[in-house]
Amino acid sequence: LSVPNSGTLNQWAWNFGDGSQSVQQNPLHQFTNPGTYNVTLLVSTAGGCTDSITKQVTIYSLPVAAFSGVDVCEGAVTDFTDLSSVVGNNLSGWQWDFGDGQIETAIKSPQHVYNETGTYDVSLIVYSTNQCVDTVQKQVKIFDFPIVDFDVSQTQCVGKEIQFTDISTTNDGT
């Protein structure tokens, strides 16, 4: 006849302090609101012995990544303005991916020059001082410069109306 080891842990009772509980040994839990929570773990052995511990866990607000950028002509400076925010904390880092292979990690509101026309997916990752992270992506359109031209009517005499006709175009059709 074999007797189980009465010192073996066999029950776990977690109370996360937000109304949620678990009986798993190593649970995952997602808090829905920022704040400080008293998390309690109660363990029991096969012999019926129990003990518990309570620790405070602080949950921080997620930042909200946001920015504005302007569609411009090829070769012109595009100004990006960081509009990100975080409640009860500060932003501590920015990582910009301009969609053309260029990345900027040191500037909150950078400028960037695109050397080719097209639509670029620009993404911004923001970090709070507590290392919480958020990402946003937007498109920026870079236009061709217009090819400016016009026609003038054959008759170009004083006192006569002259017909001017714009025949300007762009390579991308915009």
Side-chain angles (χ1 to χ4, degrees), residues 1 20 46 56 99 101 116 127 131-132 137 150 152 167 170 172:
L1 184 62
S20 299
Q56 284 192 335
E116 294 183 24
Y127 302 86
Q131 299 307 304
C132 297
Q137 183 176 19
F150 65 91
V152 178
I167 57 171
T170 62
D172 65 5

Side-chain angles (χ1 to χ4, degrees), residues 14-22 29-32 37-39:
W14 292 88
N15 181 329
F16 297 105
D18 64 352
S20 299
Q21 299 176 347
S22 175
H29 181 68
Q30 186 174 15
F31 291 89
T32 57
Y37 297 90
N38 291 317
V39 177

Side-chain angles (χ1 to χ4, degrees), residues 62-102:
L62 284 174
V64 177
F67 70 91
S68 65
V70 188
D71 297 341
V72 296
C73 294
E74 175 184 354
V77 173
T78 303
D79 290 311
F80 291 97
T81 303
D82 174 52
L83 304 172
S84 304
S85 62
V86 63
V87 175
N89 209 331
N90 292 314
L91 295 173
S92 62
W94 297 262
Q95 180 175 326
W96 295 87
D97 182 337
F98 298 110
D100 63 353
Q102 300 295 311

